[in-house]
Amino acid sequence: MPDATAGRPVLVTGASRGIGAAIAHRFAAAGDRVAVHHSGTGARAAEPHAELPGVGHVSVVADLRDADAVLRMVDEAADALGGLAVLVNNAGVFGTHPIHETGYPGWRRAWRETLDVNLLGAVNTTWAAVRHLQAGGRIVNVSSVSAFRGEWSAAAYAASKAGLNSFTQSMAVALGLRGIAVAAVAPGWVETDMTRDVLASPVGAAMRARSPFDRVGRPAEVADAVHYLASPAAEWCSGAVLDLNGASHAR
Ligand code: NAP
């Protein structure tokens, strides 16, 4: 049976690699047209949309720390795709800054940069995208299990994701009044550039052993969940934060 939602215009931030690339691929494989956002400074392809199946995709660039660039990027995506039906706020950064080992300038820099990308980047992208979304629109935010358990060496990351969960729930109410559903996924460890070194190190086995399945998540597993939360069937999931951690963390 054909997918009744196919052909939607979808913007995915941080879609040049990792989880974002898997999300972009999942929508494209279902027949949607995807704006693949990236920073423009990453090591991967300059035009990452060229790797997607199907037609009608574009690549758009903005440093999410730059609010003006975010506004331009979202409008460029909407212009190129003929509107927006789905926004996935996926882009994020992770850095460690243990409080006893980090000087004051480094501490302040880590908090500012992490919150600027992970929280304010998503907040500003959402503001810009809402101007293009109609009733039936969907926003899915990529949070993290860190929001619930904290991170002793990456407190800014955990706080940014806790803030993103709160933002998800605030927007679910505010935008539900216009027929737009807003939800989040909270993955545990997933093998991407962000985690590859840790997972390959001696502590990698302990990370995998946190799950009874003795592995970490796959980008495609997160992508499938995001695709569902962006579907018409998932309107009643609005306000939800979906755990995706293979039973490695219960809350
Ligand atoms: P990744 O492989 O490191 O990719 C990060 C993406 O974000 C890239 O596309 C990157 O663009 C983009 N990005 C980073 N800083 C940016 C900036 N200042 N402006 C614009 N784009 C920027 O990360 P990932 O592991 O796929 O993570 C994706 C999301 O999942 C993040 O929000 C992360 O917090 C969340 N998450 C990841 C895990 C995990 O274990 N991997 C677990 C839970 C949640 P460029 O390629 O242009 O640099």
Side-chain angles (χ1 to χ4, degrees):
M1 200 162 70
D3 182 347
T5 69
R8 293 175 300 174
V10 178
L11 170 59
V12 184
T13 68
S16 50
R17 51 200 169 98
I19 293 169
I23 293 169
H25 193 279
R26 181 68 184 81
F27 282 97
D32 292 325
R33 290 168 290 118
V34 183
V36 175
H37 160 266
H38 61 119
S39 74
T41 61
R44 299 292 166 95
E47 298 284 309
H49 74 274
E51 296 170 11
L52 296 179
V55 293
H57 314 302
V58 295
S59 294
V60 289
V61 168
D63 184 334
L64 292 186
R65 296 169 296 182
D66 179 342
D68 293 330
V70 166
L71 198 56
R72 283 195 298 274
M73 178 273 291
V74 171
D75 287 351
E76 186 188 337
D79 284 352
L81 299 179
L84 284 180
V86 178
L87 166 66
V88 182
N89 284 308
N90 163 79
V93 292
F94 177 92
T96 56
H97 43 88
I99 191 164
H100 293 305
E101 299 164 26
T102 307
Y104 195 39
W107 176 258
R108 288 162 53 208
R109 192 180 327 112
W111 275 88
R112 189 177 57 244
E113 289 185 1
T114 305
L115 292 172
D116 274 356
V117 178
N118 295 8
L119 183 56
L120 294 181
V123 164
N124 291 337
T125 304
T126 299
W127 189 94
V130 161
R131 292 145 60 241
H132 300 284
L133 291 172
Q134 313 289 328
R138 296 283 183 268
I139 299 174
V140 184
N141 296 322
V142 179
S143 178
S144 168
V145 68
S146 304
F148 306 112
R149 67 173 185 218
E151 294 288 349
W152 70 269
S153 65
Y157 179 80
S160 73
K161 297 301 189 178
L164 191 58
N165 288 351
S166 172
F167 181 63
T168 298
Q169 294 180 325
S170 297
M171 290 301 103
V173 178
L175 299 178
L177 296 168
R178 294 193 192 173
I180 298 166
V182 186
V185 291
W189 284 83
V190 180
E191 186 155 356
T192 67
D193 291 351
M194 189 178 271
T195 56
R196 193 157 285 120
D197 289 347
V198 176
L199 292 172
S201 78
V203 299
M207 298 304 168
R208 285 184 281 277
R210 286 182 181 179
S211 164
F213 298 98
D214 196 25
R215 67 172 178 88
V216 298
R218 302 174 184 122
E221 292 172 322
V222 181
D224 282 341
V226 169
H227 188 257
Y228 168 69
L229 289 173
S231 72
E235 181 178 272
W236 214 237
C237 292
S238 198
V241 180
L242 177 62
D243 291 339
L244 296 172
N245 62 51
S248 62
H249 178 82
R251 65 180 172 99

